[in-house]
Amino acid sequence: MAHLEAAHADELGRIDRRRLGIDDEDGGISLRLAAVVALVLVAGVVVVYATLMGSEGASRAIEPSDRGSVHYHGTIEVHIGNQTVDFSQPRFQYESTGVTAFRFENGNGSQWHVHARSVTLQWAMASVGLEVRAETVTVDGETYGDDPGETAIVEVNGESVVPSTYILQEGDHIRIVVDS
């Protein structure tokens, strides 16, 4: 064995080199080590992706596009405790002649208008001063749904949705209810 290693190390195959304890021809990196490194890298990418995505989707809001390219409507009801948010109030009504992506108009607070593509529920509500997330709703600086005993329901057409990724469609009925 000593003679093989000393005189013929360059001539030995992989199996004989391993039997003698000589490093593999590939520099000593085994397939197991390469697999472990690859697994650690994949796990790291998954952790970074999950951190950036958060519990509600992309960390950056989806912005509406192609303003003025569509015009569709839907209905809405928002209840915070025993109060109903009245979107017919002047502070929620659109009063300009420019094109906005989402709005209420003509004193009607139960029908919304979309005038752009890719208007998410979260973006639409933020445009009228409500911060809507999957489990919380913030109105006038007060956050609901983050304390024990409080719940926030965010639905479109009777189905729970992720506000940051749900894109409003023609005829959607938005329902947001916060109970405390």
Side-chain angles (χ1 to χ4, degrees):
M1 297 284 239
H3 170 75
L4 281 175
E5 185 175 352
H8 303 284
D10 294 342
E11 302 167 20
L12 298 175
R14 199 170 76 195
I15 294 172
D16 289 333
R17 292 178 64 77
R18 191 179 315 151
R19 277 187 21 214
L20 293 172
I22 301 172
D23 289 337
D24 291 335
E25 294 171 17
D26 62 1
I29 298 177
S30 71
L31 286 177
R32 269 189 238 153
L33 179 59
V36 168
V37 169
L39 184 61
V40 168
L41 287 174
V42 168
V45 168
V46 168
V47 168
V48 168
Y49 179 78
T51 301
L52 291 176
M53 295 302 286
S55 63
E56 281 203 50
S59 60
R60 289 187 290 160
I62 298 171
E63 290 290 324
S65 61
D66 300 326
R67 290 175 195 260
S69 63
V70 298
H71 182 192
Y72 47 87
H73 312 92
T75 56
I76 187 168
E77 59 178 297
V78 176
H79 305 281
I80 309 295
N82 294 330
Q83 302 274 351
T84 298
V85 177
D86 182 4
F87 292 106
S88 68
Q89 294 177 18
R91 71 181 185 144
F92 296 116
Q93 293 290 307
Y94 181 73
E95 296 181 10
S96 178
T97 58
V99 176
T100 61
F102 179 87
R103 68 185 186 200
F104 295 95
E105 58 187 45
N106 300 322
N108 186 337
S110 63
Q111 183 182 53
W112 50 261
H113 299 251
V114 165
H115 295 275
R117 297 188 193 287
S118 301
V119 177
T120 65
L121 176 57
Q122 185 177 40
W123 192 94
M125 294 296 93
S127 74
V128 294
L130 279 74
E131 184 179 323
V132 178
R133 303 211 177 268
E135 298 177 359
T136 62
V137 176
T138 302
V139 181
D140 296 328
E142 182 72 32
T143 299
Y144 302 91
D146 59 346
D147 291 330
E150 288 182 340
T151 58
I153 298 169
V154 180
E155 297 176 337
V156 176
N157 303 325
E159 299 289 326
S160 182
V161 297
V162 176
S164 62
T165 58
Y166 183 83
I167 296 175
L168 294 174
Q169 304 295 315
E170 172 70 41
D172 278 349
H173 175 68
I174 301 166
R175 181 173 172 261
I176 300 170
V177 178
V178 177
D179 291 316
S180 56

